[in-house]
Amino acid sequence: MPELPEVEVLVRGLEGELIGRIIRHVEINKPTMWQGQGPANLIGQKIASIERVAKLIVISLSGGLSVLIHLKMTGQLIFTDQKGAKIAGGHPDDQFLASQPSKYTHVFFDFDDGSHLYFNDMRQFGYVKVVDSSKLLDHKHIATIGVDPFATEFTAKYLFDALQKRPKTTVKQVLMDQTVIGGIGNIYCDESLFEAKILPTRKANSITKTETVALRDDIIKTLEKGIKYGGTSYKDYVHHNGARGTMQDHLKVYRRYGQKCVRCGNVISRTIIGGRGTHFCAKCQK
DNA sequence: TGCCCCCTGCAG
DNA sequence: CTGCAGGGGGCA
């Protein structure tokens, strides 16, 4: 589910809760979702930091280990102060799923003060992986990751060069390629291209320098907007406390096919690019 | 570079 | 029942 904004919001929320807590117990209900070193290595370790790398969550422990968590499509990380604690702001339908272990809770961490962190994942695409912090860069998802959209390296020139290098593919596929840019997924890709008035079906190397300048700015603006609204919560995405984001109420094209374009009134179209549903306005995107 | 797959659930 | 879903790895 989560793309950059969703992971960013989640990480910021968890940061305020997890730093300094000591892991007392780890329970794995679904061994296939746990990779790397065993859970015993985490006992007694203090949480030193938590950060986002593209769409990956990296929790670093004081003892030199890092816990990598990828939420893929339906992952959730839920923090609760106590067992049975009421979750604030959650959607009624998500209350049960988010507030306590369910059949979708595959891993949970207990901390020294009795608080907990649950990893839920309905579709089981995600994972928890424990690695040495010193070998973090060996993890393939980190080693091959492209620039972060919020990094100073993400310039119009960088984007233009990347687009030029891929004459055979579409602009959408380049934006979604995590080795080029880390963090853009299906929602924010379609939204950014709408803002930049560029059709997702365009060949990557047909995008002009002028268009690239606008596109780069619109990518950043769109991601910032997603963070501002707490991410997109269609069904599964929730914050660390179970609350839902509201970006789904502010999307202009994503999953709006058949509805009117907010910019020109034309009907929003849908097609498939790289196996992913793709939404655009055929009239005001060129 | 493109296709299939992982898995579960939901809407039409 | 079919198609689709915030991701991405493996395979020709």
Side-chain angles (χ1 to χ4, degrees), chain A residues 38-142:
Chain A
N41 297 324
L42 304 182
I43 307 305
Q45 299 298 308
K46 182 187 285 187
I47 294 180
S49 68
I50 171 165
E51 56 191 336
R52 175 188 65 75
V53 177
K55 301 172 191 172
L56 190 65
I57 298 164
V58 181
I59 301 174
S60 293
L61 309 178
S62 53
L65 292 178
S66 288
V67 182
L68 312 183
I69 300 176
H70 205 305
L71 305 177
K72 293 290 181 77
M73 300 283 263
T74 56
Q76 300 175 325
L77 269 183
I78 306 293
F79 176 84
T80 56
D81 277 307
Q82 306 164 4
K83 188 177 284 185
K86 185 76 177 172
I87 298 299
H91 185 277
D93 294 344
D94 294 319
Q95 286 283 335
F96 180 77
L97 184 62
S99 64
Q100 56 187 295
S102 69
K103 64 175 180 175
Y104 303 121
T105 301
H106 306 305
V107 177
F108 63 86
F109 302 87
D110 292 344
F111 299 109
D112 54 335
D113 61 352
S115 58
H116 315 270
L117 181 69
Y118 302 121
F119 174 53
N120 306 329
D121 188 358
M122 186 180 74
R123 291 178 73 180
Q124 303 174 27
F125 288 167
Y127 61 83
V128 176
K129 182 172 182 176
V130 178
V131 300
D132 287 325
S133 299
S134 59
K135 293 178 184 166
L136 214 48
L137 295 180
D138 294 344
H139 182 61
K140 53 182 179 289
H141 188 57
I142 292 183

Side-chain angles (χ1 to χ4, degrees), chain A residues 3 11-12 14 16 20 53 68 100-101 110-111 115 118 155 185 190-191 196 207 239-240 247 260 268 277 279:
Chain A
E3 304 181 26
V11 163
R12 288 184 192 176
L14 285 172
V53 177
L68 312 183
Q100 56 187 295
D110 292 344
F111 299 109
S115 58
Y118 302 121
T155 60
D190 284 5
E191 291 294 310
I207 309 298
H239 301 171
H240 72 287
M247 182 62 179
K260 282 187 177 178
I268 299 298
H279 317 77

Side-chain angles (χ1 to χ4, degrees), chain A residues 17-247:
Chain A
E17 302 286 1
L18 296 184
I19 305 294
R21 293 195 193 271
I22 294 169
I23 299 172
R24 185 172 65 184
H25 179 68
V26 179
E27 194 150 327
I28 304 173
N29 293 332
K30 196 76 163 180
T32 54
M33 305 197 63
W34 184 281
Q35 303 171 18
Q37 299 185 32
N41 297 324
L42 304 182
I43 307 305
Q45 299 298 308
K46 182 187 285 187
I47 294 180
S49 68
I50 171 165
E51 56 191 336
R52 175 188 65 75
V53 177
K55 301 172 191 172
L56 190 65
I57 298 164
V58 181
I59 301 174
S60 293
L61 309 178
S62 53
L65 292 178
S66 288
V67 182
L68 312 183
I69 300 176
H70 205 305
L71 305 177
K72 293 290 181 77
M73 300 283 263
T74 56
Q76 300 175 325
L77 269 183
I78 306 293
F79 176 84
T80 56
D81 277 307
Q82 306 164 4
K83 188 177 284 185
K86 185 76 177 172
I87 298 299
H91 185 277
D93 294 344
D94 294 319
Q95 286 283 335
F96 180 77
L97 184 62
S99 64
Q100 56 187 295
S102 69
K103 64 175 180 175
Y104 303 121
T105 301
H106 306 305
V107 177
F108 63 86
F109 302 87
D110 292 344
F111 299 109
D112 54 335
D113 61 352
S115 58
H116 315 270
L117 181 69
Y118 302 121
F119 174 53
N120 306 329
D121 188 358
M122 186 180 74
R123 291 178 73 180
Q124 303 174 27
F125 288 167
Y127 61 83
V128 176
K129 182 172 182 176
V130 178
V131 300
D132 287 325
S133 299
S134 59
K135 293 178 184 166
L136 214 48
L137 295 180
D138 294 344
H139 182 61
K140 53 182 179 289
H141 188 57
I142 292 183
T144 61
I145 210 70
V147 303
D148 192 279
F150 293 142
T152 54
E153 292 80 19
F154 182 55
T155 60
K157 181 179 186 328
Y158 174 86
L159 181 56
F160 183 73
D161 290 346
L163 290 168
Q164 287 296 307
K165 273 186 229 165
R166 271 153 247 244
K168 292 178 187 168
T169 190
T170 62
V171 57
K172 166 154 180 164
Q173 286 167 295
V174 174
L175 297 189
M176 298 267 295
D177 184 339
Q178 301 301 298
T179 68
V180 176
I181 306 168
I184 300 176
N186 212 24
I187 296 176
Y188 296 93
C189 181
D190 284 5
E191 291 294 310
S192 298
L193 287 165
F194 175 81
E195 294 294 345
K197 302 180 183 174
I198 295 170
L199 287 170
T201 48
R202 290 261 301 276
K203 288 290 177 223
N205 69 344
S206 78
I207 309 298
T208 67
K209 281 191 177 178
T210 306
E211 287 176 318
T212 307
V213 169
L215 179 56
R216 179 257 181 198
D217 289 346
D218 285 324
I219 286 169
I220 294 172
K221 280 185 204 163
T222 303
L223 294 171
E224 284 175 340
K225 181 178 164 187
I227 292 171
K228 174 185 158 189
Y229 287 112
T232 304
S233 294
Y234 276 118
K235 185 178 182 304
D236 303 295
Y237 174 70
V238 288
H239 301 171
H240 72 287
N241 59 2
R244 289 161 58 85
T246 58
M247 182 62 179

